[in-house]
Amino acid sequence: RERAKKEVEEEREASRREADRINSELRQQAEEKARAELQEGLRNKEKEAEAAAEAAKERERERDAEIQRLKGELDASKQKQQADRLNSLPSKVAEAKGMASKLRETQDQEGELLQKSPEKLARGADGGLSPGKLSPQKSDKTK
């Protein structure tokens, strides 16, 4: 009887040790699996971060290209405006010469009027001309 008790006790102890060993192995396997899943998750996150960084770099390259294109358009627009201004100069010069010619003609007419009848101008009997208004011209404000 003592021996049977001892054998049962030894079997229980052996079963407990075996259960502890199995539980330990299972815990270790679970830890290894969790560690592997965590590492896989980290690798995936790194890949996602790299992809996002690459996408951001691509967007930056596209933005820089668009900025350069817009700068080129702006430069071309400025050059066109300058060319238009330069091309319009001859017509503006001709217009200014015409105005100067009209002014000289008006001044010549005023001079002639002053030489012909200085006493009429002084009296104000010159047909509507006065010293402040020496030339009966129409008001022309066109360019």
Side-chain angles (χ1 to χ4, degrees):
R1 211 171 162 201
E2 274 303 310
R3 203 166 109 217
K5 256 183 160 180
K6 192 172 184 173
E7 283 179 18
V8 169
E9 197 57 40
E10 287 176 1
E11 282 182 29
R12 276 189 193 159
E13 185 63 28
S15 293
R16 187 187 56 76
R17 282 193 300 253
E18 184 64 21
D20 286 348
R21 183 186 64 75
I22 291 172
N23 285 335
S24 176
E25 286 178 8
L26 289 174
R27 274 194 302 276
Q28 188 176 6
Q29 287 174 356
E31 287 174 1
E32 288 173 2
K33 182 179 178 184
R35 191 175 301 116
E37 288 174 355
L38 182 62
Q39 287 176 346
E40 181 66 25
L42 288 175
R43 280 192 295 272
N44 288 339
K45 291 288 184 188
E46 286 175 355
K47 287 177 184 178
E48 290 172 7
E50 288 173 5
E54 186 59 37
K57 284 179 186 178
E58 181 60 29
R59 286 191 304 272
E60 184 176 354
R61 283 190 289 270
E62 289 171 0
R63 188 191 76 234
D64 289 345
E66 180 68 9
I67 288 171
Q68 292 304 317
R69 185 188 65 77
L70 291 173
K71 281 182 181 179
E73 285 180 11
L74 181 62
D75 289 343
S77 175
K78 284 181 180 179
Q79 288 176 354
K80 185 181 182 312
Q81 287 176 351
Q82 286 178 333
D84 290 347
R85 275 191 235 117
L86 287 174
N87 290 337
S88 71
L89 283 178
S91 64
K92 288 182 179 179
V93 167
E95 184 180 336
K97 284 182 180 179
M99 289 178 168
S101 174
K102 285 181 183 179
L103 179 62
R104 278 193 298 273
E105 185 179 310
T106 303
Q107 288 173 340
D108 290 346
Q109 289 173 357
E110 287 175 351
E112 288 173 11
L113 284 174
L114 284 174
Q115 287 177 355
K116 287 182 181 177
S117 59
E119 41 308 314
K120 283 185 179 179
L121 285 174
R123 288 191 313 250
D126 60 355
L129 294 177
S130 65
K133 185 176 177 187
L134 297 176
S135 173
Q137 313 181 291
K138 294 179 184 172
S139 177
D140 187 15
K141 301 266 181 183
T142 60
K143 292 183 179 176

